[in-house]
Amino acid sequence: MSYLQYFQIPELDRRFLKVWLRNKDVFMKNVKLNFLPPFLEPILYLLAMGFGLGAFIDDIDGVSYAQFIAPALIAVSVMYASFFECTYSSYVRMYYQKTFDAIIATPLIIEDVIAGELFWGATRSAINALVMIPVIAAFGLIDLKYALLIVPFAFLAGLLFACIGMCFTALTPNITVLEYPTLLFITPMFLFSGTFFPLKVLPEAIQYFAFAFLPLTHIVRIIRALAYGSLEVSLISSLLWILMASLLFFVLSMNLMKKKLIV
């Protein structure tokens, strides 16, 4: 397969929804357990960092520290939900449970399986955002007027991280190697994407790097604006970045996984 073939537009059919529904049914069997982390995490972070550490920190850009990190907690949860769903969970379904083999033995094809996995990863991100918004709103830290728009945006942001995660799944030789993208890619974004402190306090070179190469930077920026109800024209650049990156990694992940499964 030449390099250009990795960027061929895949043919999709609505049959991929069958895979999405299969994953949804499995998720619903443990729905209480699955809803617990996105419910408890914002409470713990806000109590420990927002109100605990925040008591020693002055307001940031005119808002309290708790209000500053609250939207970022949603963005981080969006990243984690879809990325880990399409790395560790997808790898287990593919390699250990042989779920992919079983599905491909039906009239569904490889493209249906991968697309179903990607869109389910995006759905997991939207679910996490939907659970977290009322929790954070109960603390009075977000404006619900625009905050509900975070849910559909979380689906788009989740799709981006699902596609990135699926690329790593396609390239990794075994499940333990997935620790490297988690350590070298996800963790730096968690720390240096404007989540717990403004990017402007960092050297300019790191700021440019964050805006150019770290998806979470743009996601935090948009979710923070929606949470505050302060939409600006400048956010269009971040939205376009996410849309273009999502399209690029969607095509790339589909082709990489197709090669891996065929081989």
Side-chain angles (χ1 to χ4, degrees), residues 159-197:
L159 181 61
L160 171 56
F161 276 110
C163 295
I164 294 173
M166 193 62 75
C167 288
F168 285 118
T169 301
L171 295 173
T172 186
N174 59 70
I175 197 169
T176 58
V177 176
L178 290 173
E179 294 177 7
Y180 290 102
T182 302
L183 175 64
L184 301 176
F185 180 61
I186 296 299
T187 299
M189 278 195 293
F190 174 71
L191 297 172
F192 301 109
S193 295
T195 47
F196 299 108
F197 53 85

Side-chain angles (χ1 to χ4, degrees), residues 240-259:
L240 289 175
W241 193 101
I242 293 169
L243 288 170
M244 291 188 293
S246 297
L247 178 59
L248 172 65
F249 283 105
F250 181 84
V251 173
L252 184 59
S253 64
M254 292 283 289
N255 287 307
L256 285 172
M257 281 298 293
K258 184 176 179 180
K259 182 178 184 295

Side-chain angles (χ1 to χ4, degrees), residues 91-214:
Y91 194 93
V92 167
R93 286 191 285 268
M94 173 182 63
Y95 186 77
Y96 295 103
Q97 297 178 343
K98 304 298 182 182
T99 303
F100 288 12
D101 292 342
I103 295 174
I104 295 172
T106 72
L108 274 66
I109 59 176
I110 294 175
E111 286 85 348
D112 299 328
V113 177
I114 306 309
E117 289 283 305
L118 294 175
F119 282 102
W120 173 245
T123 303
R124 284 295 307 271
S125 292
I127 291 173
N128 277 25
L130 184 62
V131 174
M132 293 181 70
I133 287 172
V135 177
I136 294 176
F139 286 92
L141 300 175
I142 58 176
D143 183 356
L144 281 177
K145 181 179 179 181
Y146 293 101
L148 293 178
L149 294 175
I150 293 174
V151 178
F153 174 73
F155 183 89
L156 173 61
L159 181 61
L160 171 56
F161 276 110
C163 295
I164 294 173
M166 193 62 75
C167 288
F168 285 118
T169 301
L171 295 173
T172 186
N174 59 70
I175 197 169
T176 58
V177 176
L178 290 173
E179 294 177 7
Y180 290 102
T182 302
L183 175 64
L184 301 176
F185 180 61
I186 296 299
T187 299
M189 278 195 293
F190 174 71
L191 297 172
F192 301 109
S193 295
T195 47
F196 299 108
F197 53 85
L199 278 176
K200 62 185 179 183
V201 304
L202 296 173
E204 284 192 7
I206 297 179
Q207 292 182 46
Y208 290 136
F209 180 83
F211 275 102
F213 299 106
L214 301 183

